Structures are given as C-alpha cells and as structure tokens.
Amino acid sequence: GAVVSQHPSWVICKSGTSVKIECRSLDFQATTMFWYRQFPKQSLMLMATSNEGSKATYEQGVEKDKFLINHASLTLSTLTVTSAHPEDSSFYICSASGFLVGQTSNQPQHFGDGTRLSIL
Amino acid sequence: AQKITQTQPGMFVQEKEAVTLDCTYDTSDQSYGLFWYKQPSSGEMIFLIYQGSYDEQNATEGRYSLNFQKARKSANLVISASQLGDSAMYFCAMRERADSGYSTLTFGKGTMLLVSP
C-alpha cells in the first residue's frame, strides 16, 4: 500500500533556529500534499495545501513567511519553520494524496508518522 | 459552525465488547467522503475505514464498520470485539472540495477510547 515517510520524527532545538521537515511519498505520485499541526490532546489543524510545482495555499491565520512550504516534486514536500520559537513547539504531520504509479484512480490521503518539534 | 462533530471526548469499553463512536457532519456538497482514523499515543495516523457519499452499503473493514445514515448526516464507527490495542484517539474526518478546488480533510475533535481488560 501507499506509504508516506516523514523525517525527522523528533527535533529539539534552540529558539531562533530554522527547522526543515521532509515528507516523501514512497510508492505513489503525490499530486497534493497537506501539512497539519496538532497541539496536545487536540485535533489536527490544516496549515496549508500544496500542489506539485505551485505555491502552497495557506489556511487563515497561518503565517506564510513563518512556515515555508516547498513541493518541488511529485514525491517530496518540505515544511521549514523559520526562526522557530517555543510557541512553535507542536506535532507536525504531513499527508499526501495522488496516484499510484501506473494507476489512474485517486488515492485517499496517507499520513506520515509526524514530527514532534520542541523549541527550547 | 463545526463541520465534523464528535460529541464523546472519551469512551470506556471492556475487552471483547463492541463500542460505537459517534460522528455527525455538515456539508452542502453532494459528493464527499467520510473517514475514520486511529491515532495511538505514538502519534501516527492510521486509516481505518472510508465511506463515500454515494455508497449505498455501509463500509466494513474487519472489526470496523461505519454506520452511515445520510439523511441524519451521521457516520458512526462501530468497533466489534474490542481489543486492548484499540485504546487510542479516534478521529472522524470529511473530505470535500474546498473553494480553492483542492479536496481537503476536516477533522473532528476526536474521541479517546480506553479498552479495559
């Protein structure tokens, strides 16, 4: 089945550091990738949606300059948290939807395992 | 207004018994999809079951079944023969087409299920 790999799974860094999180689709072409943020004991909140080769669409209230999203290929999207501060500490999770190689039917969203970001 | 409502913050069930997790949704779209995901304490989102708005039969996947009542806009998850490993957070989600043209998933607030021996 389709697999989405997210890396790293854990990041602890100092305030002011920029952190890059990668999301890869391993066996399908991810035409659309989604980035979510989840605070403890809360639901997933969509941050942005990106299509391969185009600019991301950010949800209301999400700072575009703070959370840089790049979806340069059909298998890779990155989220960069620029100049991270303690309030950016959260669980970030990506998901992807697209087409299995050789097939045309659209696949449901598949999620990465998430990245726990802790800013000291 | 919330698009996905899960009214049960927490549920307890005894091992081997069945449990129903409630989910109601709100949409004006004719075409939409309903999902249930399981999130254990480790954080990963595990896809459980899917129901399309045009599907006439209730979806089933092993011990999971979705009680889809379209007129009532409800999509409850039924877990039969609960196991200790079922203890986790469960999210109901709806996929519909956003104004941007993309299909996006909207999640409910989740229900924490605890299975006791």
Side-chain angles (χ1 to χ4, degrees):
Chain A
V3 176
V4 174
S5 172
Q6 187 172 341
H7 176 81
S9 54
W10 252 62
V11 181
I12 303 174
C13 58
K14 293 181 180 179
S15 186
T17 307
S18 291
V19 178
K20 181 185 278 189
I21 302 169
E22 291 188 351
C23 182
R24 293 180 185 273
S25 58
L26 297 185
D27 59 357
F28 70 106
Q29 297 178 20
T31 50
T32 307
M33 283 190 168
F34 306 86
W35 287 95
Y36 295 85
R37 183 174 182 176
Q38 186 180 29
F39 290 107
K41 299 185 180 179
Q42 293 190 22
S43 187
L44 279 71
M45 299 301 296
L46 180 66
M47 298 173 66
T49 304
S50 71
N51 268 4
E52 181 262 339
S54 61
K55 288 185 179 179
T57 301
Y58 288 81
E59 295 299 301
Q60 195 171 10
V62 178
E63 298 176 58
K64 300 177 185 181
D65 297 331
K66 177 74 169 175
F67 301 100
L68 301 178
I69 291 172
N70 184 279
H71 189 171
S73 76
L74 282 171
T75 58
L76 174 64
S77 175
T78 60
L79 166 67
T80 302
V81 184
T82 60
S83 187
H85 292 285
E87 58 267 26
D88 298 324
S89 299
S90 189
F91 186 63
Y92 293 87
I93 190 164
C94 72
S95 75
S97 67
F99 297 86
L100 284 172
V101 176
Q103 296 186 12
T104 57
S105 62
N106 202 359
Q107 296 294 307
Q109 282 190 31
H110 299 279
F111 284 83
D113 287 347
T115 298
R116 295 192 189 279
L117 175 62
S118 295
I119 308 298
L120 305 177
Chain B
Q2 277 190 355
K3 288 196 171 185
I4 296 286
T5 303
Q6 293 180 254
T7 57
Q8 307 151 315
M11 288 285 284
F12 290 92
V13 67
Q14 206 153 19
E15 201 178 5
K16 299 179 186 175
E17 293 191 348
V19 63
T20 298
L21 306 184
D22 294 342
C23 174
T24 58
Y25 60 91
D26 182 29
T27 182
S28 55
D29 286 359
Q30 296 299 309
S31 178
Y32 52 89
L34 297 158
F35 299 79
W36 278 92
Y37 286 88
K38 172 184 176 182
Q39 187 180 41
S41 57
S42 50
E44 71 269 28
M45 295 290 284
I46 302 169
F47 166 72
L48 296 179
I49 197 166
Y50 166 78
Q51 179 87 40
S53 57
Y54 293 118
D55 295 340
E56 294 185 354
Q57 303 266 357
N58 284 347
T60 58
E61 288 286 347
R63 294 187 298 111
Y64 304 109
S65 61
L66 199 151
N67 184 1
F68 182 45
Q69 297 188 37
K70 195 171 181 177
R72 296 177 60 184
K73 293 190 175 178
S74 75
N76 299 340
L77 176 71
V78 180
I79 306 175
S80 61
S82 298
Q83 300 172 357
L84 296 178
D86 293 335
S87 295
M89 194 73 157
Y90 288 79
F91 290 100
C92 178
M94 177 171 64
R95 181 171 67 191
E96 56 183 348
R97 195 160 292 275
D99 292 340
S100 60
Y102 300 137
S103 291
T104 59
L105 271 186
T106 304
F107 287 86
K109 292 187 175 181
T111 296
M112 174 64 78
L113 176 66
L114 291 176
V115 181
S116 60

